[in-house]
Amino acid sequence: MKRIVLLFMLLLSVLYTKASEQQDTLQNKLLIAYEIHKADWVNIDAMSSTKGISACYMRNYVVGPRYCLAVEYGAKVTWLHGVKKSGAYDAYTDRVDYLNVSLPVNLTRSISIGTSGVSLAPFFGPNFKFNIVGKYRESFDGKKRDSVNYLSRDRKTPASIFQFGMNVGVGFYYKQFVVAYTFQPDFTDYVKDDMECCKHTNTNSFSVGVRF
């Protein structure tokens, strides 16, 4: 994961150099984010919290120049991972991995903060998420005991490949730099089952990036 973070930071630095040469057309954003995902599993001892990283590209299209209104749209790739140890001497280890692609569409309005050069932009809109990986693994003393692919179509009730939700948050801008927070709840259940269901999933994202 450290190598992934370093790679994204290198990419951001390259884009910042490019953005410095294009200060009059800052209609694109590249963001990396620290992600905290919550899942409400019912009747099953599954992992309720996972953390990870994401990379996001957004395009800004001004629709109301007079009121500083814009529509932003793009794509985000998110990887989440969780580890839980239990039993005597932490002999049991549970691991879970998620990978998804989101297509957010937001309405946003830019508000300048005095003459500081800083502006904030609250935003909200629908989110379209496609789940690509959802795997659970259990091991005992380093030896694999059980493995579950939540998305497998062979399961009685497989996880949803598509989840519809929304984005709500705020971005802070200073020149080419961006800092943002996003809360993204999912309205579609991850797993629909009377015995083993997972609903009320949501993600908190803390992003940094550049405009260019």
Side-chain angles (χ1 to χ4, degrees):
M1 183 172 177
K2 291 182 179 179
R3 292 181 180 179
I4 296 175
V5 174
L6 290 173
L7 179 61
F8 282 132
M9 293 302 293
L10 177 61
L11 183 58
L12 284 177
S13 65
V14 172
L15 287 175
Y16 171 70
T17 302
K18 182 179 179 181
S20 299
E21 303 171 356
Q22 302 176 346
Q23 295 185 27
D24 57 334
T25 56
L26 303 179
Q27 301 300 319
N28 304 278
K29 289 189 297 186
L30 184 67
L31 306 167
I32 59 172
Y34 175 66
E35 306 274 344
I36 302 175
H37 180 73
K38 302 289 185 180
D40 183 16
W41 288 91
V42 179
N43 295 331
I44 182 174
D45 186 21
M47 212 167 297
S48 61
S49 179
T50 52
K51 300 175 183 178
I53 191 171
S54 69
C56 179
Y57 167 78
M58 297 294 287
R59 173 73 178 174
N60 193 66
Y61 179 74
V62 178
V63 294
R66 181 177 178 181
Y67 302 103
C68 301
L69 288 175
V71 172
E72 56 179 15
Y73 54 91
K76 182 173 80 167
V77 179
T78 304
W79 172 71
L80 299 161
H81 178 69
V83 178
K84 182 174 67 174
K85 295 182 180 293
S86 60
Y89 305 104
D90 291 333
Y92 291 93
T93 302
D94 298 331
R95 290 183 172 84
V96 65
D97 286 283
Y98 299 106
L99 179 68
N100 63 70
V101 174
S102 294
L103 303 177
V105 180
N106 299 319
L107 179 65
T108 181
R109 182 177 187 273
S110 180
I111 304 170
S112 297
I113 302 177
T115 59
S116 63
V118 177
S119 62
L120 64 85
F123 58 85
F124 72 95
N127 188 67
F128 307 92
K129 184 167 75 175
F130 298 88
N131 295 305
I132 300 172
V133 174
K135 290 186 177 181
Y136 165 84
R137 301 180 303 282
E138 179 187 281
S139 60
F140 178 75
D141 280 343
K143 297 181 180 180
K144 181 178 176 181
R145 284 170 50 93
D146 191 20
S147 178
V148 177
N149 180 1
Y150 295 128
L151 295 169
S152 173
R153 300 297 100 179
D154 293 331
R155 290 174 56 83
K156 178 183 177 181
T157 310
S160 300
I161 294 177
F162 170 74
Q163 285 183 279
F164 174 71
M166 72 173 294
N167 306 287
V168 58
V170 61
F172 293 88
Y173 301 94
Y174 178 70
K175 295 183 179 179
Q176 293 83 37
F177 297 105
V178 184
V179 176
Y181 165 75
T182 306
F183 176 65
Q184 185 258 304
D186 298 309
F187 301 143
T188 308
D189 294 345
Y190 183 60
V191 177
K192 294 181 180 180
D193 190 285
D194 293 335
M195 296 301 296
E196 299 178 359
C197 65
C198 178
K199 55 182 66 177
H200 307 307
T201 52
N202 65 74
T203 305
N204 290 274
S205 299
F206 303 90
S207 310
V208 294
V210 293
R211 297 187 292 173
F212 59 99

